[in-house]
Amino acid sequence: MAGRHGREDREAQAKVLRAVLLAGKDGLTEEDLEEQCEGLDAADIERAVIALLNSGLLERIEARLHPGGPAKHFDRLRPL
């Protein structure tokens, strides 16, 4: 069932990235993400945030998460 777990991780990453993109220039804290991402627990959110930070899709500025360069570019091409 390794494929299932990978799919769930990708879906969690998609929810987190979408929430951050929708937040706009103000960004979100990880606590805000828990409110915005129903169905995800704190561990799911933490794994998703780490993966998105490592990929460059998110960046942390002080205590807030903001879209990284590739995510900003994609958001301009295809609004949510």
Side-chain angles (χ1 to χ4, degrees), residues 14-72:
K15 283 184 180 181
V16 168
L17 183 57
R18 181 177 173 88
V20 173
L21 286 170
L22 290 173
K25 65 179 181 176
D26 294 331
L28 291 175
T29 64
E30 288 191 46
E31 292 79 27
D32 295 334
L33 283 173
E34 288 183 27
E35 295 172 13
Q36 298 291 321
C37 298
E38 290 183 25
L40 296 180
D41 62 25
D44 293 332
I45 292 171
E46 182 178 354
R47 277 193 312 276
V49 166
I50 289 169
L52 292 166
L53 286 168
N54 289 338
S55 71
L57 291 172
L58 286 185
E59 56 186 35
R60 189 182 306 273
I61 301 173
E62 296 181 14
R64 301 186 83 73
L65 297 166
H66 299 272
K72 286 187 233 178

